Amino acid sequence: MRQIFKQSFAILSFSLLILTGCKKDFLDVNEDPNRVTDDNITAELIFPAAAEGVGATPVGARADGAGAQTNMQFAQNWIGYMASNGDFARDPTQTTYNIDFTFGDNLFQTRYGVLFDLHQCEIKALAGNDTALAAASMILSAKMFQELVDLFGNIPYSQAFQVSTITRPAYDKAEDIYQSLQLRLDTAISYLKITAAPKKFAAADIVNHGNVDKWIKLANTLKLRLLIRQSEVSGFNPGAEIAKIFADPNQNVLGKGESVSVNPGYVNDVNKQSPFYANYGYTPTDVIATSSTNANDYIVNILAGTNDPRISRYFTPVGTAFVGDVYGDEPGNIPPGNQSSYFGPGLISSPTQDQWILPSYESLFFEAEAIARGWVTISGQTAQSVYQDAVTESFTWLGVPDPVNAAATYMANNTIADFANAGADPASQAKFIVYQKYLANVGIDPQESYSDQRRLNFLPTGFISVNPSKVSNTLPLRLLYPQSEYTTNAENVLKEGTINAFTSKIFWEP
């Protein structure tokens, strides 16, 4: 666990090293304004870099030479969105699902690095009575902690950042972390409602630009996401939490046009482009950013087979057709990169584009599922009406021309999209809604789709790797704890027992 903090930003790490060996009145000399100290490393300086990290880490560098994952590329492939083209040998670890303890190591450490910075920002903001910036840090932390739990299960949480007293933090139960995140999000909302946010909050806020209402809606949307994820837990009753989320009709969850994204000022220069564009778009010299990864044949067939106009926003055609690669197949059986569909303008519009954190349509899909399950009743809205809004919002978000009419035509002409085919019972309607969320999340939020598949097993067959050496015909239920934990925090990680990627379930998995 100690290695995690090496991932934190250099300026914060450097300041902590200085403060360990120096006193503020050392030699009783005048303060140097250019010297890094705990006083001038403020919450306002930490927050922009930490917030950018929340958007960047899921789409940062791809797997390293040893196959360790630093982003969610494995989920893009596993869930049927992307695949390697015929110019490259298939990944022997990822395409067989034979993952080991190094597979998620970098992913684990980079996220804890961002979480450490958010924690420092929260502490410093509260010390300076800036409850708004503290709340924003708590909200982004909640998002990242849920995503870590959804991948690894029990993880260091309550002791994670007590670095001066606890260097080997204990593991908290995943369900306890979920409950704590609900409470912390409630606290964040109360912080945002205390007083008007100071002007310095808006200056530091590169996410919602000081819009307190939008931060409250993001917090409530994350609360709803936590509840949705637990839908298959026996005896689960979210009534009280749902009531809190929708108590205020003006501050419940993110709605149309209320996507949450981050942009510190991306430019078309080396290491300064928007993260997704830098990874899947083009270099500053206009060369494709990834020569190995293209569209997956699975998703191309679904989109093309339903005349879904979003296909031309997700991918580019090869001539007049969209061409995908079969995941896990022999390179000789797969089209080379120049004959496979690359990523389209809905995903890579500009090197300066905002990096999404939570798209607006996802929130609407959460709300539609909550209504379908009977968890909430909202005046003037039904599961069908909110579902239709969610699909339309996906078309709008991607830049489909005439999105309202295009979405209406798509839903009217396809059984997988017409809510009349959703079924009458809540479980069937939930799966119907989640399938369309999956189609809206192509390339955008593969972790949400990976979690939904493990939760509801809703996908039609065909997305599993065709590598004959695969160890399972189903996706892993989780990632294994990283090797770095067994090296630096062995006593605590070993208490979790023997972990198996296919039998050791996350608490919410049925």
Side-chain angles (χ1 to χ4, degrees):
M1 185 72 182
R2 287 175 295 177
Q3 292 183 357
I4 289 168
F5 305 116
K6 294 179 182 179
Q7 304 295 325
S8 193
F9 296 100
I11 190 169
L12 182 58
S13 301
F14 183 54
S15 67
L16 291 173
L17 285 172
I18 289 175
L19 291 167
T20 300
C22 300
K23 294 181 180 180
K24 186 175 180 180
D25 60 353
F26 180 67
L27 294 181
D28 196 26
V29 296
N30 293 328
E31 291 185 5
D32 180 356
N34 296 317
R35 185 181 183 186
V36 180
T37 70
D38 190 43
D39 290 335
N40 57 33
I41 298 297
T42 63
E44 291 78 20
L45 290 176
I46 300 171
F47 183 79
E52 200 276 337
V54 174
T57 48
V59 293
R62 287 178 293 279
D64 64 19
Q69 300 297 313
T70 55
N71 69 2
M72 295 303 297
Q73 181 63 56
F74 72 93
Q76 299 275 21
N77 296 343
W78 284 359
I79 210 69
Y81 290 156
M82 299 181 186
S84 294
N85 60 53
D87 292 331
F88 292 82
R90 59 190 173 195
D91 186 314
T93 300
Q94 193 190 100
T95 62
T96 62
Y97 309 124
N98 191 22
I99 61 175
D100 58 18
F101 297 103
T102 66
F103 187 79
D105 204 322
N106 289 343
L107 182 155
F108 187 89
Q109 292 195 54
T110 54
R111 279 156 180 74
Y112 266 104
V114 175
L115 282 164
F116 177 69
D117 290 334
L118 289 169
H119 174 76
Q120 292 299 310
C121 186
E122 176 191 343
I123 297 302
K124 286 178 174 287
L126 288 175
N129 294 317
D130 188 345
T131 54
L133 195 55
S137 301
M138 294 167 69
I139 292 166
L140 294 180
S141 293
K143 179 181 187 294
M144 294 197 74
F145 265 122
Q146 183 192 0
E147 290 165 355
L148 276 171
V149 167
D150 290 349
L151 291 173
F152 294 97
N154 301 347
I155 56 173
Y157 175 72
S158 59
Q159 296 182 357
F161 305 122
Q162 300 177 38
V163 293
S164 61
T165 57
I166 301 175
T167 58
R168 294 176 177 84
Y171 278 54
D172 293 78
K173 290 183 178 180
E175 50 266 52
D176 293 344
I177 298 173
Y178 258 51
Q179 292 177 11
S180 175
L181 293 178
Q182 288 282 0
L183 295 174
R184 279 179 56 79
L185 287 167
D186 283 341
T187 300
I189 291 171
S190 67
Y191 281 166
L192 289 164
K193 293 181 176 181
I194 291 175
T195 58
K199 291 182 180 179
K200 61 182 180 179
F201 170 59
D205 180 10
I206 62 171
V207 178
N208 292 323
H209 310 289
N211 186 332
V212 169
D213 285 346
K214 197 170 180 183
W215 276 110
I216 292 173
K217 289 183 178 183
L218 174 58
N220 276 324
T221 303
L222 293 174
K223 282 170 60 67
L224 184 57
R225 187 175 76 164
L226 286 160
L227 298 172
I228 291 288
R229 192 77 79 243
Q230 299 172 77
S231 66
E232 306 310 299
V233 175
S234 179
F236 178 62
N237 183 357
E241 290 299 324
I242 289 279
K244 285 194 291 187
I245 291 171
F246 289 94
D248 186 340
N250 298 314
Q251 288 182 330
N252 44 56
V253 295
L254 296 166
K256 299 176 186 177
E258 292 183 321
S259 292
V260 174
S261 57
V262 63
N263 195 330
Y266 298 121
V267 296
N268 192 26
D269 202 351
V270 177
N271 296 326
K272 296 180 181 178
Q273 295 176 316
S274 182
F276 191 92
Y277 188 94
N279 222 33
Y280 301 103
Y282 296 86
T283 70
T285 57
D286 208 30
V287 176
I288 60 172
T290 171
S291 57
S292 62
T293 306
N294 293 82
N296 192 310
D297 184 67
Y298 179 78
I299 196 66
V300 166
N301 287 338
I302 294 173
L303 297 171
T306 54
N307 294 314
D308 191 330
R310 290 174 293 187
I311 192 171
S312 63
R313 305 302 296 173
Y314 291 134
F315 307 113
T316 56
V318 179
T320 59
F322 292 90
V323 179
D325 301 314
V326 176
Y327 182 57
D329 206 351
E330 287 277 6
N333 298 334
I334 307 173
N338 62 1
Q339 296 177 27
S340 304
S341 289
Y342 198 57
F343 305 104
L347 300 179
I348 53 168
S349 61
S350 167
T352 64
Q353 69 191 36
D354 291 351
Q355 176 56 51
W356 53 82
I357 291 177
L358 203 155
S360 50
Y361 63 79
E362 269 197 342
S363 177
L364 293 170
F365 279 116
F366 296 149
E367 184 177 348
E369 183 176 347
I371 296 173
R373 290 184 178 278
W375 290 352
V376 62
T377 300
I378 302 175
S379 177
Q381 294 182 334
T382 63
Q384 178 175 350
S385 67
V386 179
Y387 157 80
Q388 291 171 338
D389 286 344
V391 175
T392 304
E393 186 70 3
S394 165
F395 278 57
T396 301
W397 193 93
L398 287 164
V400 174
D402 191 13
V404 175
N405 288 326
T409 299
Y410 166 73
M411 286 185 279
N413 293 323
N414 287 287
T415 57
I416 64 169
D418 186 347
F419 200 81
N421 300 303
D425 62 290
S428 297
Q429 291 188 4
K431 283 191 175 184
F432 186 91
I433 291 165
V434 164
Y435 186 42
Q436 281 299 319
K437 181 173 49 162
Y438 165 82
L439 296 177
N441 261 333
V442 175
I444 300 164
D445 193 350
Q447 180 162 348
E448 180 66 21
S449 296
Y450 176 44
S451 295
D452 278 338
Q453 176 59 17
R454 290 177 290 154
R455 175 172 67 102
L456 295 179
N457 191 28
F458 68 96
L459 281 177
T461 58
F463 62 93
I464 293 295
S465 169
V466 300
N467 189 332
S469 299
K470 62 180 178 288
V471 298
S472 174
N473 288 314
T474 60
L475 295 179
L477 296 176
R478 56 171 298 153
L479 302 188
L480 304 178
Y481 290 125
Q483 184 60 50
S484 58
E485 283 291 275
Y486 289 99
T487 301
T488 64
N489 194 22
E491 179 182 355
N492 289 302
V493 71
L494 288 173
K495 290 179 181 178
E496 297 302 311
T498 302
I499 304 298
N500 184 290
F502 294 96
T503 60
S504 303
K505 294 182 177 181
I506 310 298
F507 81 98
W508 48 258
E509 292 177 326

